Amino acid sequence: MSAPAQAVTPVKQRTGAALLADCLTAAGITVVFGVPGDTGVAFYDALRDRTDTLRHVLARDERHAVAMADGYARAANRIGAVEVSSGGGTTYAVGGLGEAYAAGIPVLVVASDIHRDSRGTGALTEIDQPALFAAVTKRTYQPTTAAEIPAAVDDAVRVATTGRPGPVAVIVGEDVLDEGTGAEPVTDPAGGTLPATRPAPDPNAVAEAARLLAAARRPALLAGSGVHTSGAYRQIAALADHGIAVATTIHGKGAIDERSPWSLGVAGNNGGNALANGYLADADVVLLVGTRANATDTNGYTTPPRDATVIAVDIEADLAGRTYPDALRLVGDAAGTLGELAGALPVPPGEVLTARRTAVEERRARREPLRYNRSTEPGRLAPEDVLGRLAELVPAGTTVVADPGTPTPNLAEYWPVAAGRTALAPRGHGPMGYALPAAIGVSFARPGEPVVALTADGSFAMCCGELETVARFGLPLVTVQFTNDSLGWIKMLQHLYYEGRYFGVDPGPIDAVAVARACGLVAVRAHTLDELDTAVSAALAGRYPVYVDVPVPHLIDHVPPVPAWHQALDGDRTRPVY
Ligand SMILES: Cc1ncc(C[n+]2csc(CCOP(=O)(O)OP(=O)(O)O)c2C)c(N)n1
Ligand SMILES: [Mg+2]
């Protein structure tokens, strides 16, 4: 006689792929950028059923899918998500992740991988993904069963958003995506927001920093992107009210309202201005906040000089003061640390404040227009004039994303911003072709708002496939391309430091207007500011994307605000070390 059949309560099963998608939702992720591949088909099947909660944005290249997630993260101040598949997808994604890693941007990469039975067989798309991602992520995860997916995603999101943010990768094999499981996601809707934690600094270090600042004659502050991550705008403004003039790096642009009398603008050697650089060079006590303070940010450690008294605030102990070894280190969240510092610092007497303020104003008044700007060729517009006109056209507070080359120093110098993260430039690695896809990401973070992308002819060639993405989603992007018919930045270096021995910097032309039109966009070439105005105004009014190609003078003829280049033209031909 056989035993009576027992009633079995069926366990609710879902596939690893469905669980993975639900884990993203449980982590508060609502958009995932990506490109499909063979190993990720199960994940796409799960996404297809979840479009109400998890929006998929199909990119045309994994590098750009990552740049979209990166731009989204910078604009939303929360983790951006991207999915790619094994082989070409993962290797292309690395190109986007380098920037996010170097710039400290939280990006969650979901990478599908080959079936475990195929490992080591030379299977199509096989690559050692943890090794591949090692240099461009804070950590990688490889759940070996579907039940391990929730903990992996939960931990990955926490690691990406804790301390200095950065990318993380969750690698899931096809077999794990297909496996049934009763495991549940870990729900943490606030999990992906920045900063995940706000560590407090050592009170003794705060007291010592307050003592140094109180004794300073000419104190200054250099703010980096950590201020944006922390949202420390109020605390920066409070320190400025104590008579501390505030400069920013390009990543930190918007740490202070640039119309403030205490704002010095952007410092450094890529769009850095003479006021900010000069003030930092002469300051006796300098507070570095959430910045790498690398050689580009500090003009080779001269702004501030290494012998100034430096106080370095960073959320990571090993980053605080890394490039200023004698710095007093304050390890903690920027908002909390600066708040405590402002509380511990007496406001200087009125006459001291006035004198310091006057000193900033006088230096500002003495600011001269850049030399070596002799744009005369008709039909070519000066980039600063283009930005000036654009600022009149787009609503105040519009986010602008700049590519390397002509766009970056011009954005730094000629696009004044209020407090907030509205001027984005990829200064981690400075990858060409970043601006357009990142602006797409910004557009998903700030839906309905116009977004400006500033690109250049070389960058255009690296990202133009994404023009179709812009058209497909009808995003209100104003893209302006500065065309000088060369890889101008590098040509300029050859001009200044290699006696004009140009090599490999003059590719043939591409008609960007024709390409943009072929991708479904309204596109024009503007030889005058009025032509630019007409095209942009119509697009803004009609809320449709527009592509404007603007011929500009060569960097050699119209030298952008790059301090070392002006020094070189003044006779100092030593190439700075970065
Ligand atoms: C992916 C990538 N490759 C190479 C470089 C090095 N690089 C920096 S600027 C530049 C030239 C960019 O040309 P273009 O986009 O036309 O801008 P321009 O300098 O002419 O304004 C190059 C090649 C880079 N930043 N990114
Ligand atoms: Mg160019």
Side-chain angles (χ1 to χ4, degrees):
M1 281 231 343
S2 58
Q6 296 223 330
V8 177
T9 316
V11 178
K12 196 177 134 223
Q13 293 271 314
R14 71 185 128 189
T15 62
L19 178 61
L20 180 58
D22 291 340
C23 285
L24 301 186
T25 303
I29 291 165
T30 56
V31 190
V32 57
F33 304 91
V35 179
D38 299 43
T39 50
V41 182
F43 187 56
Y44 271 67
D45 198 56
L47 290 176
R48 190 178 192 276
D49 287 337
R50 287 165 173 74
T51 48
D52 288 352
T53 46
L54 194 54
R55 190 162 190 196
H56 182 261
V57 176
L58 173 62
R60 306 306 301 262
D61 180 312
E62 290 82 355
R63 285 177 307 169
H64 306 139
V66 175
M68 289 175 200
D70 170 325
Y72 176 93
R74 292 187 204 217
N77 214 31
R78 74 179 330 284
I79 197 162
V82 59
E83 61 75 24
V84 298
S85 62
S86 186
T90 48
T91 51
Y92 277 26
V94 169
L97 288 167
E99 169 59 29
Y101 184 70
I105 308 301
V107 170
L108 169 66
V109 186
V110 172
S112 54
D113 204 350
I114 57 170
H115 196 286
R116 81 180 68 204
D117 291 347
S118 299
R119 289 208 195 124
T121 65
L124 185 71
T125 80
E126 181 172 15
I127 187 158
D128 180 346
Q129 289 197 24
L132 178 71
F133 287 130
V136 289
T137 55
K138 289 176 83 174
R139 203 173 292 175
T140 60
Y141 300 79
Q142 221 174 357
T144 54
T145 65
E148 289 171 20
I149 291 173
V153 172
D154 184 50
D155 200 56
V157 170
R158 187 170 26 258
V159 167
T161 52
T162 301
R164 185 173 199 257
V168 288
V170 176
I171 302 159
V172 192
E174 268 186 299
D175 47 304
V176 180
L177 290 174
D178 281 337
E179 187 190 323
T181 175
E184 290 292 329
V186 179
T187 301
D188 186 2
T193 51
L194 290 172
T197 58
R198 291 191 182 273
D202 175 355
N204 294 327
V206 174
E208 173 64 2
R211 199 187 59 72
L212 291 171
L213 283 166
R217 279 175 304 99
R218 188 200 287 278
L221 189 154
L222 178 62
S225 66
V227 172
H228 295 305
T229 308
S230 173
Y233 306 109
R234 205 164 36 81
Q235 292 79 2
I236 291 277
L239 283 172
D241 288 340
H242 282 71
I244 302 176
V246 178
T248 74
T249 65
I250 300 183
H251 273 161
K253 191 173 167 78
I256 187 169
D257 187 327
E258 290 181 333
R259 293 161 304 185
S260 157
W262 296 108
S263 167
L264 300 169
V266 174
N269 194 30
N270 195 326
N273 71 70
L275 171 66
N277 286 336
Y279 205 93
L280 286 166
D282 297 343
D284 54 349
V285 179
V286 177
L287 190 55
L288 305 176
V289 184
T291 170
R292 292 168 291 178
N294 66 17
T296 310
D297 299 325
T298 63
N299 296 288
Y301 313 109
T302 61
T303 60
R306 281 232 166 92
D307 59 5
T309 299
V310 171
I311 305 163
V313 178
D314 203 284
I315 200 163
E316 299 273 1
D318 67 336
L319 293 182
R322 184 155 69 172
T323 54
Y324 285 83
D326 297 333
L328 169 66
R329 295 166 167 81
L330 269 58
V331 180
D333 164 56
T337 305
L338 298 187
E340 284 185 30
L341 197 50
L345 191 64
V347 179
E351 64 274 17
V352 174
L353 272 184
T354 311
R356 281 194 202 154
R357 213 172 136 148
T358 312
V360 177
E361 274 159 15
E362 277 173 3
R363 280 179 178 239
R364 184 173 290 134
R366 283 205 306 269
R367 248 171 99 172
E368 286 169 16
L370 287 177
R371 305 173 306 279
Y372 308 114
N373 281 3
R374 45 195 167 84
S375 160
T376 47
E377 208 184 320
R380 291 190 182 263
L381 300 178
E384 62 269 30
D385 295 343
V386 173
L387 291 193
R389 181 63 73 93
L390 266 179
E392 292 169 12
L393 300 175
V394 298
T398 295
T399 306
V400 183
V401 192
D403 262 318
T406 303
T408 290
N410 283 291
L411 174 75
E413 172 71 340
Y414 300 118
W415 190 266
V417 296
R421 198 175 211 172
T422 59
L424 308 183
R427 299 321 296 160
H429 285 175
M432 293 161 68
Y434 169 91
L436 180 69
I440 293 173
V442 172
S443 197
F444 280 93
R446 299 178 177 166
E449 291 180 22
V451 180
V452 175
L454 300 178
T455 189
D457 48 326
S459 276
F460 167 83
M462 293 201 186
C463 71
C464 57
E466 301 304 340
L467 291 172
E468 185 281 318
T469 312
V470 176
R472 183 166 11 107
F473 286 95
L475 303 173
L477 251 62
V478 174
T479 307
V480 174
Q481 172 177 321
F482 296 118
T483 297
N484 54 21
D485 308 304
S486 71
L487 302 175
W489 191 273
I490 308 303
K491 191 168 186 175
M492 184 65 173
L493 295 176
Q494 294 174 349
H495 178 73
L496 292 175
Y497 303 113
Y498 289 84
E499 295 157 0
R501 289 162 51 81
Y502 307 129
F503 185 73
V505 288
D506 292 304
I510 302 176
D511 184 343
V513 170
V515 174
R517 285 183 183 156
C519 291
L521 295 184
V522 170
V524 298
R525 183 159 293 115
H527 294 282
T528 65
L529 291 176
D530 287 343
E531 284 169 1
L532 172 90
D533 195 322
T534 305
V536 173
S537 300
L540 290 170
R543 296 176 165 276
Y544 60 79
V546 67
Y547 200 92
V548 188
D549 181 23
V550 179
V552 295
H554 200 278
L555 298 163
I556 293 166
D557 300 323
H558 193 83
V559 184
V562 177
W565 292 0
H566 289 262
Q567 274 164 32
L569 289 164
D570 286 342
D572 177 4
R573 296 278 166 158
T574 338
R575 189 167 170 210
V577 175
Y578 294 116

